[in-house]
Amino acid sequence: MKATVHPVDGVPGPQDNSWVDAVLTALGAEAIPAGALIARPLGVGPGAVVAFWTDDAPVAGCTAGPVTVGPGVPYEIASHQAGTSAGPARYLQLTTFGGRGDEWCAAFDRSGQERVWPAVKDVPGLVGVLVGAAPGARVAVTLADSVEALEAGAAAILSTELLPWEDPAHLTGPEQLAILRLVHADVPAGATR
C-alpha cells in the first residue's frame, strides 16, 4: 500500500467542512484512492490529506472547491500499528523527516519497532500509527481520540532510555510536526501489514 501526504491551503473556518467532499472528489479525478485521512488546522495554517493507493500514487496537486491541495509526497506504508483505543480518531499528528541517509532511516525503523512503539502502544486514546517510508524520508501518521493522548505519547517516548545500539546522532528531530483536527477518516484494511 502506498500513501501520499498533501498540504491543503485555504481551509475555511471551523464551522465549514463542505470542502472535504470537494477534496475527496478531486482525489478521485485521476485515480480512486483506497482511503483518505483529511484534517484541518487547529488554528490557522494548512490542513493535510493522507491518501492511500493500491497502485502508483498520483502526486499532483489540485483545486478542490475553496481549497488547494498541494503536490503530494509519496511513501510506501512500512508499518501500521493499532493502539488501545477503538476510536473514533479525532486528531491527526503528522511527523515528517526528510533528507536523511540510509543509516538514519534504518535506525529510525529499528527504534520505532524496538523502543518507540513499545513506549506508546498502551497510551489511552491512541488509535493507531502508520509509518510511511521513502528514500531518505519517513513520515509518522498518528491517530488519536484527543490532543492529550498525543501529548501523552510524546511524553512516553521522551521518557524512554535509549537502547544500547542507538546512536544519539541518529535521533535528530523532524522537519515538521503538525497536530490537526481529523474531519474524514477512512484507513483501508490493506494499509495494515
Side-chain angles (χ1 to χ4, degrees):
M1 176 80 42
K2 299 178 191 297
T4 52
V5 179
H6 305 259
V8 180
D9 290 317
V11 175
Q15 71 285 359
D16 181 1
N17 285 330
S18 62
W19 58 276
V20 174
D21 287 335
V23 169
L24 290 168
T25 300
L27 284 174
E30 190 173 332
I32 304 297
L37 300 168
I38 302 176
R40 64 177 314 111
L42 293 177
V44 296
V49 173
V50 179
F52 300 98
W53 310 93
T54 55
D55 296 318
D56 286 335
V59 296
C62 61
T63 299
V67 302
T68 301
V69 178
V73 177
Y75 296 93
E76 185 75 33
I77 299 297
S79 69
H80 179 193
Q81 304 288 345
T84 58
S85 176
R90 290 189 169 91
Y91 294 90
L92 168 72
Q93 178 176 298
L94 282 177
T95 311
T96 56
F97 303 85
R100 309 303 171 108
D102 292 343
E103 190 175 340
W104 184 95
C105 289
F108 176 91
D109 296 342
R110 186 174 175 194
S111 291
Q113 291 300 313
E114 295 180 19
R115 180 175 56 86
V116 175
W117 177 246
V120 300
K121 68 179 182 172
D122 295 324
V123 169
L126 180 68
V127 176
V129 178
L130 293 102
V131 175
R138 296 293 185 266
V139 63
V141 179
T142 307
L143 302 168
D145 62 19
S146 69
V147 172
E148 290 78 14
L150 295 171
E151 291 173 335
I157 293 167
L158 293 173
S159 68
T160 61
E161 295 285 331
L162 295 184
L163 299 173
W165 61 268
E166 287 185 294
D167 179 352
H170 292 141
L171 301 176
T172 54
E175 274 62 54
Q176 184 177 15
L177 186 144
I179 297 175
L180 306 157
R181 183 176 302 278
L182 196 58
V183 292
H184 174 85
D186 178 19
V187 179
T192 305
R193 291 186 121 191

